[in-house]
Amino acid sequence: MHPNPIFRSEDQSRHIEFARSRGFGQLAINADPAPLVSHIPFILSEDGKCADFHLVRSTQIARAVNTETPAVLTISGSDGYVSPDWYGIPDQVPTWNYIAVHLRGQIGPLEAEELRGSIDRLTAFFEAKLAPKTPWVSTKMQQEALNRMMRMIRPFRFDVASVDGTWKLNQNKTAAARKNAATEIQSSPIGMETGNLAQLMQSVLSEE
C-alpha cells in the first residue's frame, strides 16, 4: 500500500465493495524459496469477512495448502501513467495512478462436498452481471462431465483478517492540475481502464 495517507483515506466499506465487485485477484502465500502466486476469481461475502474460491489441484498453492495458511489476496483496479506535462504546473515528476485493495488473512481447504455449492455461487454472481442474458447454470452440463471437471479442482475459503486499500488519484495535486491530468488520461494508451480512472479522478474533484 502507498505510504501517503492521502491516498488511503477511503472508507473500508469502499474497499470491500470494490473487491467484491471485481471478483478477481492475485492470491499469494509464503513458500521456500519464494512466494507462490495464483490468479483467481472469487466471491467475497457482503461484509468482507470471507471469500470462497477454487484452484486446479495441480497448482502449487493447491498442493501446498492442507491446513490454515497465512495469505494475501490483492485486487487491482484501473491504472494509468501520468505525464508531468499534463498538470499544467512546473517542477512535477511522472507517476502512476491506480486502485488496489489487499485482503490479508488465512486460507484453508473446504470439504469436497462444498465444491458444487461454491462453484454455483461464484457462477451466479458473475452471470448476474450479464443480464439480460439467461444465466448459465451447472445443470446445463451432463452430470458425468461436471463430475469430471470437479475432480480437477479443490474448494478453498479465505477468512479475511484485514482490509487495506490505495486509491491514488492525484489527491496531492491542486484541483486544476487533477482536472487537467484526468482529461489527458481519459484517452491515454498507457494503463488499464484509463477512461474509468479518469472518471474516478474527476470524482475526487466533485467531493471537494
Side-chain angles (χ1 to χ4, degrees):
M1 294 287 98
H2 199 287
N4 190 335
I6 197 171
F7 302 136
R8 302 176 63 185
S9 60
E10 295 295 334
D11 188 78
Q12 188 177 76
S13 63
R14 191 176 189 191
H15 301 331
I16 292 171
E17 179 185 3
F18 165 76
R20 178 173 165 78
S21 176
R22 196 72 166 179
F24 186 79
Q26 297 78 46
L27 176 72
I29 65 170
N30 290 327
D32 185 17
L36 302 178
V37 179
S38 287
H39 298 257
I40 62 166
F42 62 89
I43 182 167
L44 182 66
S45 62
E46 292 188 13
D47 60 8
K49 291 184 177 180
C50 67
D52 285 355
F53 63 96
H54 58 268
L55 293 169
V56 175
R57 287 182 175 274
S58 59
T59 61
Q60 291 178 305
I61 292 181
R63 295 201 308 266
V65 176
N66 292 299
T67 187
E68 294 295 310
T69 302
V72 59
L73 179 60
T74 66
I75 303 98
S76 299
S78 305
D79 70 87
Y81 172 77
V82 183
S83 171
D85 294 329
W86 293 347
Y87 296 126
I89 52 179
D91 301 322
Q92 301 299 304
V93 295
T95 192
W96 205 283
N97 283 354
Y98 63 94
I99 311 301
V101 169
H102 291 181
L103 309 179
R104 296 182 182 276
Q106 303 269 339
I107 62 170
L110 295 174
E111 296 296 330
E113 56 266 25
E114 297 185 67
L115 176 59
R116 175 68 178 271
S118 178
I119 292 174
D120 286 346
R121 289 191 299 274
L122 183 68
T123 303
F125 177 77
F126 289 112
E127 285 286 328
K129 295 177 179 288
L130 301 178
K133 171 189 175 297
T134 301
W136 181 91
V137 291
S138 59
T139 52
K140 288 187 174 182
M141 295 184 67
Q142 294 184 6
Q143 191 63 48
E144 181 180 349
L146 180 61
N147 290 343
R148 184 170 61 250
M149 295 296 294
M150 290 199 301
R151 286 195 294 269
M152 299 171 62
I153 58 180
R154 292 182 67 196
F156 291 85
R157 176 159 295 160
F158 190 118
D159 290 317
V160 180
S162 66
V163 180
D164 201 2
T166 291
W167 298 69
K168 188 171 180 292
L169 305 170
N170 284 141
Q171 297 97 320
N172 58 335
K173 304 299 182 186
T174 66
R178 289 200 301 275
K179 183 176 181 180
N180 291 340
T183 298
E184 295 294 341
I185 211 169
Q186 176 81 34
S187 57
S188 173
I190 307 175
M192 298 292 292
E193 299 181 353
T194 53
N196 184 62
L197 182 63
Q199 291 180 13
L200 289 169
M201 292 166 66
Q202 291 282 7
S203 73
V204 173
L205 297 172
S206 64
E207 292 170 3
E208 294 184 339

